[in-house]
Amino acid sequence: MENMKLHIVTPEGNAFSGDVRSVIVRTTEGDVGILKNHTNFVAAIAYGMLKITDPDGNARIAACMNGFVSVEAAQVRIIATTFEFADDLDIARATRAKEESEARLSEASLTDEERELAQSRRLRAENRIRVYELNQ
């Protein structure tokens, strides 16, 4: 199977760059599998898991949230607000963040903006926990 280039960037900088056999990413329209020679493509990324298979066939998963994926000329580019490999996730921190956001959401006095922020934090924490558990 042929390889392609994958570049992942976040606001913190370059998260991953290298040759891969395949990429599976959760878009707002569902999961998309990408192999070399995939048609040109652009999509918004949702909260979910990203799976990279390296040239040797080894798979690695990550929590990937919000951003865009583009495929052009045998290159995949991902710009995400959050990208964390499962083996780098701090499960205790994610669990605390989920609990704190759920407690915040139970408050009756939240503004719409505060409620949206708490919901976003809960979704990020739940995604991290789910990806961490899949990696175990």
Side-chain angles (χ1 to χ4, degrees):
M1 189 172 282
E2 296 183 55
N3 297 326
M4 61 190 166
K5 295 285 185 193
L6 171 64
H7 304 283
I8 302 173
V9 295
T10 68
E12 287 79 40
N14 187 29
F16 179 88
S17 188
D19 290 334
V20 298
R21 184 182 291 181
S22 67
V23 177
I24 299 173
V25 61
R26 167 94 21 106
T27 72
T28 56
E29 300 299 316
D31 289 345
V32 174
I34 303 166
L35 299 170
K36 186 167 182 168
N37 299 321
H38 191 286
T39 188
N40 290 351
F41 176 78
V42 175
I45 294 174
Y47 290 84
M49 180 186 74
L50 183 138
K51 181 178 178 182
I52 299 169
T53 303
D54 72 18
D56 296 324
N58 302 308
R60 195 167 180 200
I61 62 172
C64 186
M65 297 164 254
N66 297 335
F68 293 92
V69 55
S70 72
V71 180
E72 184 179 14
Q75 288 199 36
V76 180
R77 291 181 182 87
I78 293 175
I79 301 170
T81 57
T82 304
F83 176 87
E84 299 165 284
F85 280 112
D87 46 358
D88 294 334
L89 290 170
D90 182 341
I91 191 63
R93 181 175 166 238
T95 302
R96 277 192 315 275
K98 180 180 181 224
E99 291 167 355
E100 290 168 2
S101 62
E102 287 174 343
R104 183 81 170 128
L105 285 167
S106 69
E107 297 174 14
S109 63
L110 292 180
T111 66
D112 288 344
E113 185 177 313
E114 290 169 330
R115 182 166 305 286
E116 187 176 315
L117 181 60
Q119 287 172 335
S120 178
R121 287 181 177 157
R122 181 179 51 85
L123 286 171
R124 281 194 310 270
E126 287 174 347
N127 189 50
R128 286 178 173 122
I129 292 167
R130 187 171 36 255
V131 168
Y132 178 86
E133 289 172 349
L134 285 170
N135 196 50
Q136 298 306 302

